[in-house]
Structure formats: structure tokens, C-alpha cells
Amino acid sequence: MIPALRESPASRRVRASLPGEPGLPVVGIAPSMLRDPIGTAARLNAKHGAVCWTRSLGVLCVMAIGPEANQAIFRNTDQAFANSAWNYYIGPFFHRGLMLLDFDEHRAHRSVMQAAFKRPLMERYFENMQPTIARGVTQWPVGRTMRLGPRLKQLTLDVATEVFMGERLGREAERVNRAFIDAVRGGSALVRYSVPLGRWRRGLEGRALLERFFRARIAGKRANPGEDLFSRLCEATDDEGNRYTDDDIVNHMIFLMMAAHDTSTITLTSLLYHLAKYPTWQDLIRAELLGAGAGPVTLNDFNQMPNLDRAMKEALRLITPVPALARETVKDVELLGHTIPAGTYVIVCPQATHRLDGLWKRPAVFDPGRFAPGREEHRQHPFAFVPFGGGAHKCIGMHFGEMEIKAVVHHLLTRYRLHVEPDYEMPIDWTSLPVAKDGLRVRLERLR
């Protein structure tokens, strides 16, 4: 069954004081957001302004669009916006993951994990991922059209398991990958009960498999720790000498492994699609990559590749890996002149901000030059470009993701040319996180 609509005193205050609309009976705007989130958000913004109310997936929520709204919510100076809203959407599948924690507890857990993303370790991760990426891309078929998206997802999962877990999955890889997909998609289920064959049920089953997968490895990691993130979580202690519980470790690994490979896959899919569609940019970036000279590429080499960086940013802008972010007010708070009462779900919309007319020139067009000196459209406002969120919950692995994406592009473009059919437009499935409906149909041609 679809959950009954929640009507609370806070909801009634929101409807009385903010512009907005309920959408369809029971499901609200969920179907239109799943079908066309960019168009739906643009329509709401044009009709009601940067802050409005609507209904989706059984709850009344406030939609917040634009850089000023992003700034107020991400900076969170009044400590009024909590990430606890995620529990309603994805809590059963990513229980107590880092993104679902708040305030002091979040800071304590994040400080332990932050040590895994310091520069010396990042350089080691970078070196360790090179053989995995090379092994993956050299096995892909050449000369015929293939579905690149699933191969990218498997590759990024392989990188994440080898870097963050210190092992190769082998035969388990397909089951684990499927479990992550089902867990992610579970949060967008319209029928939010465990019914046979339902998306919610598949999400719960995926979560259960992942719990068994990580829990079975904890004892071994504690007995024989390595330098990977999994080992660090198994060894970590707080200021009073307390270790993470097994449940804490499982919760963090499920969430971080999902975040570490899903968001990279989405960005790579967007970037490689656009480079195949716009070969001039593909050639510019290939020239940068080949200009790095003989020998293995290094992290510092990427500092001399501005076109690669701009194209990656543009790919993130056009298809933002996490298009919307959930918050819940824990007290009454002012948001752009509107009072939002405690207990209200607020949806921040980076994807909608990244497509706003007036903020971006020709916002639907792939144009990495918008990030170049002299234009720098993203600097019109400090919160105009927020693909990794902002504030205390800004993505902990953003630099790892950028590094991995550039490494994959390096291995691909120095080996192959990427082609798509001239009239090809990659269809997007926005059901949960944005993925290519057709898997991204690309043909690789080996460089001569």
C-alpha cells in the first residue's frame, strides 16, 4: 500500500503560510519528479518561487531551489536543519550511515573517517587503483556498440572494494552490485511496504545481503588489519577508548561503499556520454592526457589539465549524482523570508539550481568553457554549484571521487576514441539516482 498522507500541525502551518500545490491525490508530485525532475522543479520555481510546499511519497515537504536557499540550508547557522529526514526515505536501507547522522554524533563519526581521506592515503589509493582500472578498461569490447554504464558501475565497485576493503570480490561482485542497486532504488518506492516483488522488498533484501557480506569480514579485519578504510573502522576508537560496534561498522561500510561507487559511476556516465557526443572536447582532453608524458600518471599531473577538470564539472552540473537532498527542521526557522515550522521536511534541489536560467547561460547545453577564467559562471554565487552538497555534510569522499573519475578517463581516452550515433540522446532514469536507461550505448575505437 502507498503510505497515508501525514497531516500534522506543522504541515497545516506550512500550507497556510507558503505558496505551493499538493500534486496528485496521495502520491503528490512523486510521479512527475521521477519522470522529469528538472522540468518539475523548474515549473514549481517559476510558479511559486524559491521556497514552496508540495507533497511527495506520502509527506508534505518544502522545496528549496536556488543558491540563496542552498546557502541558508547548508550553512545551517541556527542548527535547525537536520539530516534525519533521510531516515524516512532511505533509513531502512542505509540505517545510520554517515549522511543520516546529525550534529555532535555526525561530527564524531566523520572525524574518524576523515583520516582515511588525507593526502598521503589519497596518493596511495590513486596508485593502488591504477591496475584495477587498467584491467577493467582493457577487457571492454572494441569496434561494436556496447552498454558502457553497467561496465562503469562494475569497475567503480571493483575500485571501491580493493581500495576501501583491501580485497577483490571475484564471483561475489555481481550479487553485491545488485544488492546496492536494489537498496538505492528501494528509497523511491511508491509502495513503501514489503510486498512480494515490490521495490521496497527488494531494497530490504539487498540491505540484508550487504549486512551479511560486511559482518562476516569484521573478525578477520580486526585480527589482521590492513591499511584500508574497513580496517580503520574496525580499529578506530573514540576519545574514551570505545570502539565502533559491529553494527556501526556495517552501517558505515554499506553507506560509504554505495556512495564511493554510485556517484562516481553517474559522473563518469555523464562525462563520457558528453565527450563521445562532443568529440572536440574529447580531443582537447586527450591532448592534455597524452601531454603528461611517458610513465604512470600522477595526481599532480591532473593539476595541469584544466579542460578535463572543466568537463568533469560540467558533467556534474548537467547530471548531478544526488539531484535532491533531504532535511528536517528541528525548530522553527526563517528561510528566505518564510517561517518553516519544526518537524517539516525540506528538499534542497542542487540539480534544479544547476539548470536555472539567469544563473547559467544556456543551462541545458554541455559547455565546459563556462567554468574557464573570464566566465566562471559557477562563481556568481558561492552556492550556485553544489554537486557535493555543502556545510557539515558536504561529501566526505568528493576528492576521492574526482581522482577516480579522472583516472578512469585517463585510461580510456589514452587507449580509445569514444563514439555515439550522431542523433543519440542518452535517456535518464531518475527513479532514485540518475542512471542511463539504456546503459549508455557507446562504441570504442582503439587509438592507432
Side-chain angles (χ1 to χ4, degrees):
M1 295 175 61
I2 296 172
L5 291 175
R6 297 182 178 183
E7 185 67 23
S8 65
S11 299
R12 289 191 287 272
R13 286 176 62 192
V14 168
R15 289 193 293 105
S17 60
L18 270 69
E21 60 187 69
L24 297 173
V26 184
V27 295
I29 65 165
S32 64
M33 286 297 290
L34 296 177
R35 182 177 63 253
D36 179 19
I38 295 172
T40 302
R43 182 186 65 77
L44 289 172
N45 184 63
K47 183 176 180 181
H48 302 296
V51 180
C52 66
W53 71 270
T54 188
R55 294 188 185 275
S56 182
L57 296 177
V59 295
L60 180 142
C61 58
V62 169
M63 299 281 286
I65 299 171
E68 290 81 12
N70 296 340
Q71 177 172 301
I73 295 167
F74 290 149
R75 285 188 173 170
N76 200 14
T77 54
D78 293 331
Q79 297 285 281
F81 297 100
N83 272 37
S84 54
W86 283 114
N87 287 307
Y88 175 73
Y89 295 103
I90 62 172
F93 317 108
F94 296 100
H95 178 63
R96 287 185 58 78
L98 185 64
M99 189 176 72
L100 283 69
L101 303 180
D102 276 307
F103 307 122
D104 289 344
E105 185 179 35
H106 171 259
R107 280 190 289 272
H109 284 250
R110 185 180 175 108
S111 67
V112 173
M113 295 182 207
Q114 195 71 57
F117 295 97
K118 291 183 177 179
R119 179 73 184 198
L121 285 173
M122 292 284 282
E123 291 176 346
R124 191 175 304 158
Y125 298 156
F126 185 75
E127 292 176 7
N128 291 345
M129 71 173 61
Q130 301 308 313
T132 305
I133 297 172
R135 184 173 62 246
V137 302
T138 54
Q139 293 175 355
W140 294 345
V142 177
R144 62 178 176 84
T145 299
M146 63 164 175
R147 296 171 68 240
L148 185 58
R151 289 179 167 87
L152 289 170
K153 193 172 193 309
Q154 188 60 64
L155 176 60
T156 58
L157 179 60
D158 289 344
V159 169
T161 53
E162 293 187 32
V163 168
F164 293 129
M165 295 180 59
E167 66 175 277
R168 293 176 62 178
L169 288 186
R171 293 180 179 179
E172 287 183 290
E174 186 174 346
R175 288 194 311 121
V176 171
N177 201 353
R178 184 70 249 173
F180 275 119
I181 292 171
D182 288 342
V184 168
R185 291 176 69 86
S188 60
L190 293 178
V191 180
R192 302 174 75 79
Y193 295 93
S194 184
V195 297
L197 304 179
R199 188 182 297 163
W200 191 267
R201 166 79 65 87
R202 291 196 300 273
L204 294 175
E205 291 171 347
R207 165 74 192 202
L209 185 151
L210 294 171
E211 284 189 8
R212 294 192 298 271
F213 173 79
F214 287 109
R215 198 177 297 277
R217 287 160 167 78
I218 292 176
K221 283 293 181 182
R222 283 187 169 142
N224 187 27
E227 296 182 342
D228 53 274
L229 177 62
F230 197 1
S231 295
R232 288 175 180 273
L233 291 178
C234 290
E235 293 184 298
T237 58
D238 62 19
D239 293 339
E240 298 177 355
N242 300 311
R243 280 186 168 185
Y244 279 142
T245 67
D246 287 5
D247 287 344
D248 283 333
I249 294 167
V250 168
N251 292 334
H252 285 318
M253 286 303 298
I254 290 175
F255 177 77
L256 288 172
M257 286 289 291
M258 178 278 292
H261 82 284
D262 265 351
T263 53
S264 294
T265 300
I266 292 164
T267 306
L268 277 165
T269 301
S270 175
L271 177 55
L272 294 173
Y273 160 66
H274 286 102
L275 293 184
K277 194 167 181 66
Y278 299 93
T280 299
W281 276 101
Q282 183 181 159
D283 292 340
L284 282 172
I285 292 168
R286 181 178 291 107
E288 284 184 340
L289 295 166
L290 294 174
V297 69
T298 68
L299 269 180
N300 288 333
D301 288 332
F302 289 136
N303 295 333
Q304 310 304 317
M305 300 179 189
N307 288 317
L308 173 56
D309 191 66
R310 292 164 196 159
M312 182 184 68
K313 285 184 169 68
E314 183 69 338
L316 284 163
R317 185 188 69 83
L318 285 168
I319 303 176
T320 306
V322 185
L325 301 165
R327 298 290 190 269
E328 182 178 9
T329 53
V330 294
K331 58 185 175 182
D332 289 7
V333 63
E334 291 294 313
L335 179 61
L336 305 190
H338 300 278
T339 298
I340 312 298
T344 302
Y345 284 4
V346 178
I347 307 300
V348 197
C349 303
Q351 181 70 86
T353 300
H354 294 164
R355 296 292 192 98
L356 283 178
D357 284 314
L359 188 61
W360 307 92
K361 183 178 180 181
R362 298 189 303 162
V365 174
F366 178 74
D367 180 11
R370 71 177 77 248
F371 293 94
R375 290 182 63 184
E376 296 183 320
E377 296 177 16
H378 62 304
R379 296 195 185 279
Q380 296 179 75
H381 190 285
F383 288 84
F385 183 61
V386 287
F388 301 103
H393 281 276
K394 192 170 187 178
C395 177
I396 194 172
M398 59 179 286
H399 297 301
F400 176 86
E402 290 177 341
M403 174 181 77
E404 179 186 21
I405 290 158
K406 291 178 179 180
V408 172
V409 172
H410 172 263
H411 282 275
L412 268 174
L413 294 195
T414 56
R415 288 175 169 84
Y416 310 111
R417 293 187 186 280
L418 279 64
H419 299 275
V420 293
E421 294 299 321
D423 59 349
Y424 175 72
E425 299 286 340
M426 182 176 69
I428 303 297
D429 178 354
W430 297 96
T431 300
S432 50
L433 301 179
V435 298
K437 279 184 181 178
D438 64 353
L440 176 54
R441 301 185 64 78
V442 168
R443 177 171 57 85
L444 302 184
E445 173 194 348
R446 200 177 304 279
L447 293 178
R448 299 188 185 280

